[in-house]
Amino acid sequence: YLLDSPSLRLDAPLFVTFFQCALTAALCLGLSLGAACGPPCAGLPTLRLDPKVSRSVLPLSAVFIGMVTSNNLCLKHVGVAFYNVGRSLTTVFNVLLSYLLLKQTTSLYALLACGVIIGGFWLGVDQEGAEGTLSWTGIFFGILASLCVSLNAIYTKKVLPVVDGSIWRLTFYNNINACVLFFPLMVLLGEFRTLYHFDKLGSPSFWGMMTLGGVFGFAIGYVTGLQIKFTSPLTHNVSGTAKACAQTVLAVIYFEETKSFLWWTSNLMVLGGSFAYTWVKGLEMRKVQEDPNVKSGERNETGV
């Protein structure tokens, strides 16, 4: 609604994302201040801004900005139902980044699963084109979002020790950094001028929707970090694929759309390839953990 509603007509995707980040940081700080009040706030760490920690989290924040911005821009240019396929290459980028950054090779079966995902992606693009709803701009941002989602999961795991493993602190610092970094981007793209001429800037219903979007963004960000902390980037990306499946079905029902057999086949290929990849990697991890001849360092690398 906020990104692409004909009734709203707000062409300021970075501002929408900036507001989500600002509200998330404010919610983190507010709930932290209420920690002394007892349940349900008890146990939350006290938050204070440490420039040294903020600098350490900055690389993750840059990736985070790329992730949320490209996600929103993809969603702006493609339908909600196609959103799953449009940014389905996260697992493929995981394989590429594991090789480029960690020098980890991938088994043939895992590569075949990635091939199924890529096939599903291209079939989905073809079917969107056949229906006349294809946006190459949306596809570009979908691919960029897939890359950034993969990098975000890896950097989250890497940066957690800097904040003593606290997802609460990481969410706070990440969103504070993001708010600062968004300002020059908004100036560069002229979004302040767009907001100045926006006729619903004083509308309570508009700010109500903005606040609701920010609350959802806060919840998603917190749960995402929590899942990566207690599992792995791979597990997070796969559960995200399952979420996308439900999202696709709900979007088709909600918007009363009719999709072709091949369109649904592309979605099933993406989901099937993602779950096949997970199954193969799960077997490989189990084999490594059970092999006494494997070094502990190799165990940890495979787990990532």
Side-chain angles (χ1 to χ4, degrees):
Y1 171 78
L2 291 169
L3 294 167
D4 197 32
S5 171
S7 63
L8 195 64
R9 300 189 307 277
L10 174 62
D11 187 21
L14 291 186
F15 170 71
V16 174
T17 314
F18 162 80
F19 185 83
Q20 289 180 332
C21 293
L23 187 60
T24 295
L27 285 170
C28 285
L29 186 60
L31 290 172
S32 174
L33 293 174
C37 300
C41 295
L44 298 182
T46 302
L47 296 177
R48 61 182 182 84
L49 194 59
D50 185 337
K52 184 178 179 181
V53 175
S54 185
R55 283 194 300 269
S56 299
V57 178
L58 196 58
L60 172 63
S61 302
V63 172
F64 174 74
I65 279 184
M67 181 184 73
V68 294
T69 302
S70 53
N71 266 333
N72 280 355
L73 288 171
C74 175
L75 192 57
K76 179 178 175 64
H77 292 282
V78 304
V80 178
F82 185 69
Y83 180 67
N84 169 36
V85 174
R87 50 178 300 279
S88 61
L89 299 180
T90 300
T91 302
V92 178
F93 280 118
N94 274 351
V95 172
L96 289 174
L97 293 172
S98 294
Y99 179 75
L100 294 174
L101 301 179
L102 306 174
K103 304 303 178 186
Q104 295 177 8
T105 56
T106 304
S107 68
L108 176 62
Y109 289 117
L111 289 175
L112 288 174
C114 289
V116 173
I117 296 172
I118 295 172
F121 172 79
W122 280 115
L123 180 59
V125 170
D126 177 72
Q127 289 304 298
E128 281 290 302
E131 293 183 2
T133 54
L134 178 65
S135 166
W136 283 108
T137 303
I139 296 299
F140 168 76
F141 284 117
I143 295 172
L144 183 61
S146 299
L147 172 62
C148 290
V149 168
S150 181
L151 283 171
N152 182 72
I154 292 171
Y155 274 98
T156 297
K157 200 79 171 179
K158 190 175 181 179
V159 170
L160 270 171
V162 177
V163 290
D164 302 320
S166 171
I167 294 298
W168 206 253
R169 286 196 179 101
L170 183 61
T171 302
F172 175 70
Y173 278 104
N174 202 17
N175 283 276
I176 286 290
N177 284 348
C179 288
V180 174
L181 294 174
F182 265 124
F183 257 96
L185 292 175
M186 291 165 63
V187 172
L188 187 65
L189 295 177
E191 291 202 357
F192 286 109
R193 191 182 309 111
T194 301
L195 289 171
Y196 180 77
H197 294 288
F198 181 53
D199 59 352
K200 294 183 177 64
L201 198 60
S203 169
S205 62
F206 166 69
W207 288 109
M209 292 297 288
M210 287 285 285
T211 302
L212 185 62
V215 170
F216 283 143
F218 164 75
I220 291 169
Y222 183 73
V223 173
T224 294
L226 209 59
Q227 185 182 48
I228 294 170
K229 175 182 177 180
F230 287 109
T231 58
S232 70
L234 173 63
T235 303
H236 162 65
N237 290 332
V238 171
S239 70
T241 302
K243 177 271 299 177
C245 176
Q247 177 177 287
T248 299
V249 174
L250 286 172
V252 170
I253 294 172
Y254 182 82
F255 292 107
E256 299 179 346
E257 298 174 343
T258 302
K259 299 296 184 181
S260 67
F261 173 77
L262 287 177
W263 189 92
W264 284 109
T265 301
S266 71
N267 277 268
L268 290 174
M269 286 177 68
V270 167
L271 293 168
S274 299
F275 282 116
Y277 178 85
T278 312
W279 182 66
V280 170
K281 293 298 288 185
L283 290 178
E284 291 174 357
M285 290 179 188
R286 194 176 307 146
K287 184 177 180 181
V288 169
Q289 295 296 332
E290 292 173 354
D291 190 346
N293 297 319
V294 178
K295 297 178 182 178
S296 60
E298 293 176 354
R299 294 175 192 266
N300 291 334
E301 285 183 359
T302 307
V304 171

